[in-house]
Every structure is written in C-alpha cells, then in structure tokens.
Amino acid sequence: MRLVVAAAALAAFVVFTALGGWQLQRRAWKLDLIERVEQRVHAAPVAAPERARWPEVTAATDEYRRVRLAGRYLHAQATRVQAVTVLGAGHWLLTPLRQADGSVVLVNRGFVPPGWRAPAAAAGDEIVVTGLLRLSEPGGGFLRRNDPAADRWTSRDVAGIARAHGLGQIAPYFVDADAGAAPVPDGDGPVGGLTVIRFANNHLVYALTWFALAFMVAGAVLWVVHDARRRRGAAAVPAGERDAPQA
C-alpha cells in the first residue's frame, strides 16, 4: 500500500512540475507573439499575399501584418457580420475587392450600426486599401453558428461567405481596413480601424499554480515520512522508559 501511495505521489509531483514547465514555455511563446504582432501592426504596409502564396499564409507568418491591396469593390456582394465594438452593437461590413489579376479578397471595411443603409455605389475606379491581414473565422461565433441560407453571419468566415455569394476563388484571409483607408462616398459609415488586438497572458500564474501543487505534494510526502519515523522511534522505546519521569 505504501508503495502505491509513494508511486502516486511521485507521479503527481512529476506531472505538476512538467505542467509548470510547459506553462513557462507557453509564456515565452506568448511574449514572442505579442512582440511580433506589435512590430507588424506598426510597420509600413506591404503588398498583400498574392494568389500563389495563399496556401502559405498562416497566423505565425502573416496575421496582423499591415498590408496594402488595390482593386474595385463588388458592393452588390457585401456581407454584414454581427459585431460588438466600442461603438456598440452592429455589423462588420465585408465587401469583396477584385484585384487586377482577377483574384478576390474580402475587406472588412469597418463597423456599421443596425439599420445602416448603404448608398447606391457603382464599381468605380480602382482604389487602394491598407489594413491588417486577418485569418478566416470558420463556423461561427461562440455558441452561435453562421446561417448562410438566411444570410446571417456571426463570424468572418471567408470560405462560407464566398460560397454563399458565388465569389469563386478567394484569398483565405480578409483585411481589416484602416480608418479612412477606402475613401468611398458612404456617408456616416463604415468606420474602420477598430481591430482589437489583445492576447491573454496568464501563463506565469498557471505555472506558479502547478509548481505550488508540486511542492505541496512533496511537502505532504516529507511530513508523512517524518511522522512515520517519529512513530517508529516512539514505538522502539520500552514502555517503562516512556512512562518514567524525567530527571
């Protein structure tokens, strides 16, 4: 029985210590990610990834990179996605942008309030848009699914929106337009530049918690061993000596 308890305690100590070390590694990764994103969002815009590089676009290499792209908006195929921002509840207005090579990129032109009506707009001249590259958000939001048939969207699902609107080949990312990045006559909207960049970084707290549990296990084992030795020592003393008064 003692061997089983000792083995369980050792296993718990090893697991808790390993989890603490893993959280420290996660903390280092998160700090590196935050530093890279900070550098990207404040850098000068670069050309958005072209069609040939679409398969290589990942969060590690491209997300939150400031990019620039040019083309013509396809206003008739714009999509509204539910959003909650510092301006309140409303929608993101995602409009396809067709580039000179025929490829299409969804541009999140910004926030529009409920009931906002877009003025009639033709394709117009080619425009240049700058903003932050974001990866697709497939499926839907938290506890809410996208409903393409009803044109109700809770996440910026690039592939789903492309299928629903027959956009064909489309970039696997979208671009959050900067404030005033697309000067088109849309009255009081949309409002760009509202991207929230926030990364939870509680890994140090988690690591300290796991290490504390490991030390508690070790402390409990030491106390049990010490108590067992004390009891054995007391048992080894003759009864008469234990009861005799001290000189």
Side-chain angles (χ1 to χ4, degrees):
M1 182 63 180
R2 291 180 180 178
L3 289 178
V4 173
V5 173
L10 177 61
F13 179 81
V14 171
V15 170
F16 291 153
T17 302
L19 288 171
W22 175 65
Q23 285 296 336
L24 289 180
Q25 293 175 353
R26 292 280 296 171
R27 179 175 182 269
W29 168 82
K30 185 63 68 65
L31 291 174
D32 180 65
L33 171 65
I34 293 172
E35 182 180 358
R36 283 189 283 115
V37 169
E38 282 293 315
Q39 292 174 350
R40 290 175 185 175
V41 299
H42 294 107
V46 298
E50 298 178 347
R51 193 197 307 259
R53 207 169 76 76
W54 286 355
E56 303 170 4
V57 174
T58 65
T61 59
D62 294 286
E63 190 161 30
Y64 295 106
R65 189 179 300 283
R66 189 168 295 281
V67 297
R68 178 185 63 256
L69 61 163
R72 290 178 171 82
Y73 277 132
L74 307 177
H75 293 287
Q77 294 164 297
T79 300
R80 301 189 187 199
V81 178
Q82 293 179 17
V84 178
T85 73
V86 293
L87 301 178
H91 298 89
W92 298 121
L93 184 65
L94 271 67
T95 307
L97 183 81
R98 189 176 298 282
Q99 302 182 97
D101 64 356
S103 62
V104 177
V105 178
L106 272 185
V107 176
N108 176 16
R109 295 171 58 206
F111 173 83
V112 294
W116 179 83
R117 299 185 64 181
D125 297 329
E126 183 176 88
I127 62 170
V128 176
V129 180
T130 59
L132 300 179
L133 186 150
R134 305 290 308 282
L135 295 187
S136 179
E137 301 166 346
F142 180 66
L143 298 180
R144 299 175 300 169
R145 306 296 295 177
N146 292 325
D147 186 356
D151 200 27
R152 284 198 297 265
W153 303 90
T154 61
S155 74
R156 292 163 290 193
D157 183 345
V158 172
I161 291 172
R163 285 193 299 269
H165 290 272
L167 296 175
Q169 259 200 327
I170 192 169
Y173 57 85
F174 62 93
V175 174
D176 275 347
D178 292 335
V184 294
D186 277 4
D188 59 350
V191 180
L194 297 179
T195 305
V196 176
I197 302 174
R198 183 184 300 121
F199 298 100
N201 187 15
N202 300 316
H203 299 294
L204 181 59
V205 174
Y206 299 151
L208 292 176
T209 300
W210 289 122
F211 286 139
L213 290 172
F215 288 133
M216 288 173 63
V217 170
V221 170
L222 291 176
W223 183 86
V224 169
V225 171
H226 174 75
D227 186 64
R229 288 178 177 175
R230 181 183 63 79
R231 290 174 181 274
R232 286 198 300 270
V237 177
E241 293 184 13
R242 291 200 303 269
D243 297 336
Q246 296 294 322

